[in-house]
Amino acid sequence: MGGASLKRIDCLKAIYPALEECAVVSIMGAAAAELYSLGHRANFFYLEHAMGLASSIGLGIALSQPSRKVVVIDGDGSVLMNLGGLTTLARSRPPNLVHLIFDNETLLSVGGGAPGGYRWFTTATSTGTDLAAIAEAAGFPHAQTVRALDDFEAAVLDAFNGNELSCIVAKVEAEMPKSFLMDIHMLENRFEFPRALQQPPRDRSQLRRPTRITKEEPTTIPALKSREE
Amino acid sequence: MPVSVANSQLVYDAVKGVGVRMVSALPETWLVHLIRMADEDPDMTLVRLAKEEEGVGVSAGAHFAGVKSAMLMQNHGFLQSINGIVGVSLLYKVPLLMLITDRGGFGEKDPWQTEGGKHTRPVLDALQISREDLTRPDEVEPKVAKAMTLAQSSLSPVALLLSRDLMWEEPR
């Protein structure tokens, strides 16, 4: 406990501008709500369930689009549900994937926390489990733990600029977001996300659908036709 | 090895033929040739999983990025993936092609395979996941093609059950 209390929302604010060109996969709950509160973008996908699979989705994207930077925003509770996934990431070793883990030592978003930072259902990271050490031992070429905002920002920007699979664990407060409200339906998010990732051609004339049916003859009403003649 | 190389090749060619370029898998005796074929194919990305449920996430990510994928697994791999299938594929309407080697049916000698085989179809049906059996070589290509078509049009998981008659060549 260094005393310097790091907040998830401040971390997200610090890196938000750098997320613009990335594919971002966030876990549910507090992380999703806070990212959303900073301003939703079509390249953000919020996985509202399936705890543990955010990094697997990120892996699928990273392997499919090697030229795009993929950022997974994960949490200690989710990562602990899919520790094997860290080994799959490590052996697949996509150089374009950055795995951020906000470690608040609590299952906050599924009810293990309460306003004011009160934690009544902690995870094993509260008793010494070291996720960065696990990632490193799993084979991540780069893994580190940060406890201060400056360190977090520097580590993430280094990872973004670098070209190797990275895991950055930020030890943060178990603080609730100001609001869990997200004014976007998960299916709307689900369909806009691949559209953003698959960037349709910029030439708008190619996007315009034909409005005329060329093969069909124009409709004529016999009575009117005879009057015209 | 009494696992059919010829029929594994048929399945592999059919899967590749419908545009699959990423396969996630865990080994199973009947899958050895299929996984090797994916591994040796420079056009195919093989993701070696630690646990099958990860494959549901990998396939969803690939779909979002515009790449067609498939999962290779055994009955217990499917049963292990249920939360991912419900929480990602069904909840978010994401196509998922699952090729499940169907152990535990008539002719099964391994006692430990018999429960998983018994429960695979009822669980698929409970989740309303469309399924077909692959039993004859001549039905492999059309059924794989139709399964992929349905997965993409319905935005949902579909299952092909690879049967003993197709995958195993041991004389009875």
Side-chain angles (χ1 to χ4, degrees):
Chain A
M1 295 291 126
S5 52
L6 185 58
K7 291 189 196 317
R8 195 179 43 237
I9 184 77
D10 293 333
C11 292
L12 288 169
K13 266 182 199 160
I15 62 165
Y16 181 80
L19 299 176
E20 188 158 0
E21 295 299 319
C22 306
V24 181
V25 180
S26 169
I27 54 163
M28 55 174 285
E34 288 183 349
L35 179 63
Y36 181 86
S37 75
L38 296 176
H40 174 65
R41 287 178 178 153
N43 56 313
F44 297 172
F45 178 70
Y46 315 100
L47 182 64
E48 293 294 348
H49 227 306
M51 286 177 72
L53 292 190
S55 61
S56 306
I57 292 174
L59 175 61
I61 297 169
L63 294 174
S64 300
Q65 295 192 351
S67 58
R68 182 187 295 277
K69 193 65 84 179
V70 179
V71 181
V72 175
I73 298 175
D74 224 326
D76 50 313
S78 285
V79 169
L80 288 167
M81 288 195 199
N82 187 13
L83 279 180
L86 291 177
T87 67
T88 305
L89 278 174
R91 73 184 306 186
S92 303
R93 206 177 268 235
N96 54 327
L97 193 146
V98 178
H99 194 182
L100 305 182
I101 302 172
F102 288 120
D103 180 2
N104 58 19
E105 304 181 352
T106 310
L107 280 155
L108 181 84
S109 298
V110 290
Y118 177 68
R119 314 180 306 179
W120 69 270
F121 203 120
T122 54
T123 66
T125 63
S126 71
T127 55
T129 298
D130 183 339
L131 293 175
I134 292 175
E136 189 172 15
F140 271 63
H142 178 83
Q144 73 180 100
T145 300
V146 292
R147 290 184 164 80
L149 187 58
D150 289 350
D151 296 341
F152 174 79
E153 188 173 4
V156 172
L157 295 182
D158 278 355
F160 281 11
N161 294 327
N163 196 37
E164 63 177 8
L165 173 67
S166 308
C167 175
I168 294 154
V169 179
K171 297 293 275 188
V172 294
E173 288 184 8
E175 191 169 285
M176 294 284 212
K178 281 197 177 123
S179 165
F180 276 103
L181 181 74
M182 293 175 65
D183 191 21
I184 182 171
H185 194 276
M186 44 181 286
L187 286 182
E188 185 181 353
N189 180 223
R190 174 258 178 270
F191 285 107
E192 71 175 352
F193 183 62
R195 206 173 291 130
L197 263 54
Q198 293 169 40
Q199 290 173 332
R202 299 243 176 206
D203 183 358
R204 296 195 68 81
S205 64
Q206 287 180 18
L207 293 175
R208 199 174 300 140
R209 293 173 61 132
T211 49
R212 271 188 311 141
I213 302 164
T214 48
K215 280 190 179 167
E216 202 173 50
E217 292 297 315
T219 309
T220 52
I221 300 166
L224 290 176
K225 200 179 178 196
S226 62
R227 198 184 296 167
E228 279 166 18
E229 285 165 1
Chain B
M1 182 83 71
V3 181
S4 172
V5 178
N7 289 345
S8 296
Q9 188 72 54
L10 270 181
V11 174
Y12 186 77
D13 291 346
V15 167
K16 199 176 174 190
V18 295
V20 168
R21 291 296 176 270
M22 187 182 297
V23 162
S24 59
L26 251 86
E28 204 278 314
T29 309
W30 294 5
L31 287 173
V32 288
H33 298 306
L34 271 166
I35 292 174
R36 177 181 51 78
M37 287 164 192
D39 193 26
E40 289 172 355
D41 185 348
D43 297 333
M44 192 68 77
T45 300
L46 172 65
V47 182
R48 290 179 174 84
L49 305 171
K51 210 171 180 185
E52 285 86 351
E53 188 189 14
E54 297 169 50
V56 181
V58 170
S59 275
H63 174 75
F64 294 156
V67 170
K68 284 187 180 143
S69 68
M71 281 179 76
L72 300 177
M73 58 196 167
Q74 192 242 37
N75 308 77
H76 284 270
F78 163 69
L79 293 171
Q80 200 286 314
S81 306
I82 300 299
N83 184 53
I85 291 168
V86 175
V88 177
S89 195
L90 290 171
L91 189 61
Y92 278 95
K93 299 196 170 294
V94 182
L96 179 65
L97 180 62
M98 299 185 285
L99 280 81
I100 305 168
T101 48
D102 188 23
R103 303 292 305 268
F106 280 8
E108 181 64 64
K109 287 175 183 160
D110 297 340
W112 51 88
Q113 303 290 9
T114 54
E115 282 299 311
K118 205 160 66 185
H119 299 300
T120 298
R121 283 175 181 74
V123 173
L124 282 166
D125 293 346
L127 297 173
Q128 298 185 333
I129 295 173
S130 298
R131 60 174 169 91
E132 289 266 0
D133 292 1
L134 292 183
T135 49
R136 298 191 323 271
D138 65 309
E139 66 185 1
V140 168
E141 192 274 329
K143 278 190 175 175
V144 169
K146 287 171 183 172
M148 181 55 104
T149 301
L150 181 63
Q152 298 287 330
S153 65
S154 64
L155 303 173
S156 58
V158 297
L160 289 166
L161 297 162
L162 278 54
S163 72
R164 174 175 301 275
D165 288 346
L166 186 74
M167 302 305 290
W168 196 250
E169 285 179 334
E170 196 174 42
R172 286 166 196 88

